[in-house]
Structures are given as C-alpha cells and as structure tokens.
C-alpha cells in the first residue's frame, strides 16, 4: 500500500464450513478507511459509507445524496460520474440514505474498471459543487404556474402521507423521544424541505462529509491494480479538515408503556397495528441474533404461530404479520399487523383515518410497544361480531385491545413450550443459519456490505472507536 495508508487490522469472514474471506482495513493519513474483502467472484462492488444523522426534518442527508451526483470541483459536469461508470463495465452509480448513514455504491466487472472510477467518485462525495442552481433544480422550486417542484420535494411528497411512513415515524418518536435523531425525518418533510437553503446543506456537508468520517468497502478479488489506484489518488481529494462527526447517540428510555394514534385520510376499511420494543445494543450479537430468529419463527411462514392465530384462521383479524429487528442504536424490534379490519371504533366525526397506538413496557428493559391503526367508515354490525376465538372485531383498533390479544398469544406459546414442539426453536436456528449460508454463497458481496455497514455505523455513533468484525459473529450461527 501507499505510504499514505497503513494497515490497521485483518480479519476473515466465514463463507462456508471450510471457506473464509480474508479482509483487511487500511487507514489513510486523512482518517479515511478502506476495507478490502477479497471475495473470489467476477463482480467488484464499492460502497462509500458516510455516517449521517438528521438534525431536523429538512432532509439534509437525503438532499446531499442527490446533490453529490451533480458534479464535483474537479469533475464539474453533471452526469460525468455515471458516464465514466458506464464506460467501465458498470450500470452506473447509486446511493441510499437511512436514519444514520448515507451510502454511495458502484458495481463493476473488473478491477481496472473499479480503479478507473474510484478517484472521481470520492471527489464527488468529498467535494461536490453544491451550486445554488443545482439546489433549486434538484431540491425545491416553483414552476411557472406557481406549483412546488424539485426531485427531492416530489419524492418526499409521494411518501410522507403513506400509512407505513407515518406509522414508522411516530413509532420511532415513541421509542427514542421526539427530539432524538432517529425521530427526525432523514428524508425530509415537505414543509421543512421548502425552508431548507443551499447554505445549510453545504454546512451539513462540512460537518459530516469529512474524509476522517468516511469508510470505503470494496469486495471482489482485488489486488495490485486496485492498491496502485489507491496510491495514485491525489492527496487533495482525500484532504481532511478535521471535522470529526463521531458522537455517542443519547439513549432516552421512555417511562412506562406509551401509546399514540396517527390519523390520516384513507378509503379502505382496514388499518394496521404495530408494536415496537427497544432492544440490546448491536454489539450483543448473540442476543440480537436470537431475537431475529425468534421473530422469524413467530411470523415468517403462514404456519408460524402468530400467522396461524391472527391471519390464517376462520375469521382473520389481519391480512399479514411481520416481525424483525432493526439495526438502530440500540436495536429496535417490531411486530406489525396489516389489514386489520375496522369496526365501529372510529372517531366521533365518522372520518376515516389511521390510528397508531403503542404500549412501551420499559420499566426495566426500556421496551415500548406501538400500535398503528387506521380508522374508516364502520362496517356492518353483522360483519363485526366476535369470531370463534372471542376476538371482538369492533374493538381491534381500540387502544390496548390488540396488545392484549398479542400478549395472551405470546404467553400461550411460552406456557405450552412452543405448542409442545421441543425442537421448534432448534429448527428455526438451523433454518436461519441455512439462509445466511445461502446468501453468503450466492451474494457474498451484498451480505458483507450489509454486515460491515452495520459495524461502521456502530463504531461512529455507539462506541466511538472504529472496528469491523463485531457483526461477523452472526456467521457463527
């Protein structure tokens, strides 16, 4: 490697029982890190991870994801980066933004192609032009007829009133507190995007997009050609101004059970009920993995316990159920029911809408449950009687009613030792391990990017010390 880079650590990711993927971490003098995963496959992937936190609802992380591709100081023409990628055996560049990270990606078919694009890509990320006219076009403006437009504004407009989006936003506010970073809209809300300025975006870029905050992960059979390309990157591209954005995300535990309702216009006669809990820190990989397996066992298949109780029954009280763990800081766990019938539990005005209710059982463990419900016109009385299980269809969206049904079912599963099937969880563990092994075999690059990305964010906002490999313990399943 170049004198600008020093080897920081080495590790291996297990691909199969007898196959390992050697991985090295190099650190540039600016603080930028490069993680090389030598996956023996014909495809090369590159991902540039920028840990970003929303500080308000203006969508600054999302806005920068768009503006980065409008040209950089050294490559000023919009579209240059994608044209370069297309000339190098790639389908172009891409990017995505989550609550705590923004990632810029590239997939190519050769090491040389990867090397040809890398420097220009880094320059776009670290030194975008951020011109006022780019902001007006890409983010927010009025057209000749006085209508609001902008790519970012239009994306936000299309999603911010959706049931799932509204419910998740309220859920995160309940789980973390309304002032927490996770409770802010990283994509932006239209009313706030309209107030955002290009100067504010530039200031946000200065704080979070410093080279010392960025990690680049590369997968594929990289070798001397790639290392030479790293060495040849002009030092001014990787220059750091010392704006270190590492911080410990404050963890505010809600006091006792909490619940909320979110109302919005809807034509359907169904709503949704969502439950959420605060989980352990992601560094407790064994517990987090156990929770992932448990939630999959409860909800993954049509024959899963919660599916059989609430969906696959004579009188369903939901059209689907899903359970999963989200890699926030700390982790959060969710069980959600969609297509919940709405009886005569609407508001007094008879308006249709969505209600979001949650109960937070956090006395000792900092857990919370959130139910998201949608109100609509009452159903006919003869369609809202109790089913054979005793469920009162007219009360499904009443505060706490569905929570009690779920509690009773979970207690029943525990009391009967998983319906008397002593091997149920063992099979769930085996199936989880088989799916993970299959992903590593067929999509090792994507699986590694996801695994390493989780560690990068945790290093930045949870521990303050860079380390990859923590989440790799999941492969011990």
């Amino acid at each position: 490697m170049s004198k600008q880079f020093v080897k920081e650590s080495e590790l291996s990711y297990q691909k199969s029982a007898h196959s390992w993927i050697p991985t090295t971490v190099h650190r540039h003098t600016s603080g930028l890190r490069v993680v090389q995963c030598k996956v023996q496959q014909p495809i090369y992937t590159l991902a540039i991870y920028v840990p970003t936190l929303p500080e308000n609802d203006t969508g600054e992380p999302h806005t920068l994801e768009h503006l980065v591709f409008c040209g950089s100081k050294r490559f000023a023409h919009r579209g240059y980066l994608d044209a370069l990628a297309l000339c190098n055996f790639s389908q172009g560049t891409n990017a995505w933004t989550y609550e705590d990270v923004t990632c810029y990606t590239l997939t190519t078919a050769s090491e040389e192609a990867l090397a040809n694009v890398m420097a220009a890509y880094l320059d776009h990320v670290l030194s975008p032009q951020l011109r006022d006219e780019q902001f007006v076009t890409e983010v927010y403006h009025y057209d000749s007829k006085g209508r609001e437009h902008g790519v970012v504004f239009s994306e936000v407009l299309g999603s911010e009133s959706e049931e799932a989006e509204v419910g998740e936003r309220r859920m995160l506010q309940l789980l973390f507190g309304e002032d927490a970073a996770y409770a802010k809209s990283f994509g932006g809300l239209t009313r706030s995007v309209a107030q955002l300025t290009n100067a504010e975006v530039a200031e946000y870029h200065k704080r979070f997009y410093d080279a010392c905050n960025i990690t680049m992960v590369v997968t594929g059979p990289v070798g001397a050609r790639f290392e030479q390309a790293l060495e040849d990157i002009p030092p001014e591209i990787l220059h750091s101004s010392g704006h270190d954005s590492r911080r410990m995300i404050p963890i505010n535990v809600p006091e006792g059970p909490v619940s909320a309702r979110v109302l919005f216009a809807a034509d359907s006669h169904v709503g949704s009920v969502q439950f959420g809990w605060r989980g352990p820190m992601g560094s407790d990989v064994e517990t987090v993995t156990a929770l992932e397996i448990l939630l999959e066992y409860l909800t993954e298949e049509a024959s899963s316990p919660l599916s059989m109780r609430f969906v696959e029954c004579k009188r369903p009280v939901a059209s689907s159920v899903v359970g999963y763990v989200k890699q926030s800081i700390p982790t959060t766990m969710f069980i959600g029911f969609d297509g919940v019938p709405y009886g005569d539990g609407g508001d007094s005005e008879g308006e249709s809408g969505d209600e979001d209710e949650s109960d937070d059982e956090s006395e000792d463990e900092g857990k919370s449950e959130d139910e998201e419900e949608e109100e609509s016109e009452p159903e006919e009385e003869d369609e809202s009687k109790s089913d054979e299980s005793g469920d009162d269809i007219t009360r499904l969206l009443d505060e706490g009613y569905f929570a009690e049904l779920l509690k009773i079912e979970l207690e029943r599963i525990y009391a009967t030792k998983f319906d008397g099937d002593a091997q149920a969880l063992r099979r769930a563990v085996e199936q989880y391990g088989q799916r993970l092994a299959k992903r590593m075999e067929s999509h090792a690059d994507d699986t590694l990017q996801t695994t390493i990305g989780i560690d990068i964010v945790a290093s930045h906002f949870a521990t303050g010390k860079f380390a990859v490999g923590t989440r790799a313990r999941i492969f011990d399943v």
Side-chain angles (χ1 to χ4, degrees):
M1 296 293 291
S2 163
K3 294 181 180 179
Q4 298 182 87
F5 288 88
V6 295
K7 182 181 292 186
E8 195 168 58
S9 62
E10 290 182 294
L11 67 153
S12 294
Y13 287 92
Q14 186 172 3
K15 185 176 181 181
S16 63
H18 306 288
S19 177
W20 298 80
I21 300 173
T23 301
T24 58
V25 181
H26 288 84
R27 185 177 184 274
H28 187 261
T29 53
S30 65
L32 179 141
R33 288 179 171 86
V34 178
V35 180
Q36 296 175 246
C37 303
K38 295 191 176 183
V39 183
Q40 297 304 313
Q41 61 179 26
I43 298 297
Y44 296 75
T45 70
L46 177 149
I48 302 171
Y49 292 89
V50 187
T52 51
L53 287 177
E55 300 174 332
N56 46 52
D57 293 325
T58 58
E60 291 166 321
H62 180 205
T63 297
L64 267 173
E65 176 202 320
H66 284 257
L67 294 177
V68 156
F69 293 105
C70 292
S72 68
K73 293 181 178 178
R74 294 166 185 81
F75 308 95
H77 296 290
R78 177 174 182 154
Y80 171 84
L81 185 60
D82 273 332
L84 179 63
L86 290 171
C87 290
N88 283 275
F89 310 105
S90 172
Q91 293 183 338
T93 57
N94 206 347
W96 46 264
T97 303
Y98 287 164
E99 289 93 344
D100 47 21
V101 65
T102 304
C103 183
Y104 300 87
T105 63
L106 175 73
T107 301
T108 69
S110 76
E111 183 177 11
E112 182 178 3
L114 182 69
N116 291 342
V117 180
M118 181 173 55
Y121 209 160
L122 284 168
D123 192 58
H124 277 73
V125 172
L126 291 167
S127 302
Q129 290 183 309
L130 300 181
R131 298 199 307 265
D132 288 342
E133 58 269 29
Q134 294 172 340
F135 178 87
V136 170
T137 301
E138 196 73 16
V139 182
Y140 181 76
H141 64 272
Y142 286 96
D143 66 11
S144 59
K145 296 182 179 180
R147 294 174 299 192
E148 295 175 296
H149 277 288
V151 178
V152 173
F153 181 85
S154 297
E155 286 184 2
V156 172
L157 183 64
S159 64
E160 71 176 3
S161 60
E162 293 178 356
E163 178 183 357
E165 182 76 15
V166 172
E168 182 178 16
R169 186 162 64 245
R170 190 68 185 103
M171 169 78 82
L172 292 174
Q173 290 173 348
L174 293 171
L175 288 170
F176 292 97
E178 295 194 12
D179 294 330
Y182 283 111
K184 305 298 182 183
S185 177
F186 63 90
L189 300 178
T190 51
R191 66 177 184 274
S192 299
V193 171
Q195 304 299 318
L196 183 63
T197 67
N198 195 35
E200 290 171 331
V201 174
E203 179 61 27
Y204 187 89
H205 182 276
K206 181 189 298 183
R207 294 199 306 275
F208 286 93
Y209 277 65
D210 193 284
C212 67
N213 301 317
I214 290 176
T215 302
M216 183 169 67
V217 180
V218 177
T219 69
V222 290
R225 179 67 181 87
F226 174 77
E227 294 185 359
Q228 184 61 48
L230 280 176
E231 186 174 331
D232 293 341
I233 296 176
E236 56 270 22
I237 289 181
L238 301 181
H239 171 72
S240 170
S241 298
H243 294 284
D244 192 337
S245 63
R246 283 177 297 180
R247 67 182 76 169
M248 302 292 284
I249 294 180
I251 300 175
N252 302 314
V253 179
E255 296 181 1
V258 294
S259 63
R261 293 186 174 190
V262 178
L263 305 178
F264 61 92
D267 296 328
S268 61
H269 292 270
V270 295
S272 59
V273 181
Q274 307 291 334
F275 299 91
W277 296 264
R278 294 279 290 273
M281 296 297 290
S283 56
D284 187 357
V285 177
E286 182 175 346
T287 301
V288 172
T289 304
L291 289 168
E292 290 177 336
I293 294 171
L294 178 61
L295 288 172
E296 286 190 4
Y297 163 77
L298 290 172
T299 65
E300 185 78 7
E301 306 292 341
S303 58
S304 297
L306 296 187
S307 294
M308 294 294 292
R309 168 63 179 84
F310 295 104
V311 181
E312 304 295 333
C313 52
K314 183 177 180 181
R315 192 82 184 281
V317 296
S319 62
S320 65
V321 58
V322 63
Y324 61 95
V325 175
K326 190 172 186 176
Q327 294 290 335
S328 52
I329 301 173
T331 59
T332 40
M333 302 168 290
F334 300 95
I335 296 178
F337 298 85
D338 288 330
V340 179
Y342 171 74
D344 58 2
D347 58 26
S348 59
E349 298 294 327
E351 298 176 355
S352 63
D354 182 273
E355 299 182 354
D356 179 338
E357 299 183 5
S358 77
D359 298 306
D360 181 2
E361 302 175 1
S362 59
E363 286 108 355
D364 298 314
E365 301 179 18
K367 296 181 178 179
S368 73
E369 298 178 338
D370 184 87
E371 299 179 22
E372 176 194 340
E373 309 175 348
E374 179 180 6
E375 292 186 317
S376 184
E377 294 299 327
E379 295 180 357
E380 296 297 327
E381 185 173 350
D382 62 351
E383 295 181 353
S384 59
K385 301 298 183 182
S386 301
D387 68 4
E388 71 276 8
S389 299
D391 301 337
D392 188 343
I393 303 299
T394 66
R395 297 186 58 201
L396 289 176
L397 299 185
D398 287 357
E399 182 172 349
Y401 184 76
F402 210 117
E404 184 64 21
L405 297 181
L406 178 61
K407 177 183 176 183
I408 291 172
E409 179 62 13
L410 292 176
E411 289 176 343
R412 185 199 66 78
I413 295 170
Y414 178 77
T416 60
K417 299 186 184 301
F418 302 94
D419 294 317
D421 187 351
Q423 300 300 314
L425 288 185
R426 180 178 295 278
R427 287 197 302 273
V429 171
E430 291 175 351
Q431 291 169 1
Y432 183 91
Q434 289 167 0
R435 286 194 293 268
L436 181 60
K438 184 177 180 180
R439 290 200 300 269
M440 279 296 288
E441 186 64 34
S442 59
H443 301 289
D445 47 1
D446 290 340
T447 306
L448 286 173
Q449 290 284 4
T450 300
T451 302
I452 295 171
I454 292 171
D455 283 344
I456 291 170
V457 174
S459 295
H460 209 79
F461 293 130
T463 65
K465 182 179 180 181
F466 184 86
V468 294
T470 302
R471 178 69 178 171
R473 295 203 299 274
I474 191 176
F475 299 110
D476 294 337
V477 171

